[in-house]
Amino acid sequence: MRKFLGLVLTGVLLFCTVFSIVGCGEETGNGMTEEERIAYENIEKYHAEYIGDAEYTMTEEYLENDGRLEEVNIIFTQEELEEVFLDFPKVDFEKEMVLVYFYDSFYHYDIPLLKGITFEEDNRLQITFYMKDMEEALPGYATGLPPRTYSLVVKIDKLEVSTAEFIRIRK
């Protein structure tokens, strides 16, 4: 009996040792690759924050003129911000900037979840986010309406950025 307990204890210790070396779950970032882990940590490093729709209103002139020149607008000054938004949470443009990403969708159902930020040496910024698509959120539902343009707004530390790209991931 003593030998059996010794074998069980040895097996348990061996099992625990192997998993502490290999790692699993939250301790290793839930199976993230090294690049994904760094991109995820960059959200906190650059103080990136999704600004919800209820927190701002776009100006009529901007909406009427379809003011977006690009799919992604990088806003560096208070004047640029006021051209786009009537009311917006305070931004310290000495330290921060605002990114506005426009996308078309049949519905506006889910809140975007920032998943990672990559800042490349050539001053390109990539922001990865997750948002359910219509089929995932509302299976079998069809609106019969044309898609509308929505915006995803992110406030982030001021960086020397030449271009920004938003990448939507799905499950």
Side-chain angles (χ1 to χ4, degrees):
M1 181 70 168
R2 240 180 167 176
K3 222 175 206 183
F4 177 72
L5 287 174
L7 283 173
V8 170
L9 183 58
T10 302
V12 169
L13 287 173
L14 183 60
F15 182 78
C16 290
T17 302
V18 167
F19 276 100
S20 69
I21 292 170
V22 173
C24 62
E26 300 251 342
E27 296 171 356
T28 62
N30 287 329
M32 291 181 180
T33 66
E34 184 68 11
E35 287 178 346
E36 291 170 332
R37 184 189 59 75
I38 291 169
Y40 184 76
E41 289 174 355
N42 282 344
I43 295 171
E44 189 173 319
K45 176 181 176 181
Y46 297 125
H47 303 100
E49 174 186 356
Y50 163 71
I51 306 294
D53 292 348
E55 298 182 44
Y56 61 87
T57 305
M58 288 191 173
T59 64
E60 286 298 319
E61 295 83 18
Y62 194 77
L63 292 173
E64 286 174 10
N65 296 328
D66 199 26
R68 59 188 195 279
L69 301 174
E70 299 176 13
E71 192 174 70
V72 178
N73 288 320
I74 305 170
I75 299 175
F76 291 105
T77 67
Q78 185 65 37
E79 293 76 28
E80 292 173 346
L81 186 69
E82 289 171 0
E83 288 176 15
V84 180
F85 300 106
L86 291 174
D87 49 353
F88 195 85
K90 183 149 176 66
V91 177
D92 180 358
F93 283 103
E94 295 292 320
K95 300 176 186 173
E96 301 171 314
M97 64 184 191
V98 175
L99 304 168
V100 184
Y101 167 63
F102 292 97
Y103 63 97
D104 292 332
S105 180
F106 289 100
Y107 77 108
H108 192 61
Y109 177 76
D110 200 19
I111 295 173
L113 176 63
L114 295 179
K115 298 297 276 183
I117 295 175
T118 307
F119 187 59
E120 303 293 334
E121 289 180 16
D122 60 354
N123 295 344
R124 283 184 308 120
L125 186 68
Q126 290 183 327
I127 298 179
T128 306
F129 70 99
Y130 168 77
M131 186 171 10
K132 292 178 184 175
D133 58 22
M134 185 171 177
E135 186 57 37
E136 184 183 356
L138 305 166
Y141 181 78
T143 65
L145 299 172
R148 287 188 47 208
T149 300
Y150 296 97
S151 62
L152 189 158
V153 180
V154 174
K155 183 170 70 169
I156 187 170
D157 286 349
K158 193 169 201 169
L159 301 167
E160 290 294 323
V161 175
S162 58
T163 60
E165 175 185 19
F166 281 74
I167 301 169
R168 181 177 177 177
I169 58 173
R170 294 174 171 87
K171 283 187 179 178

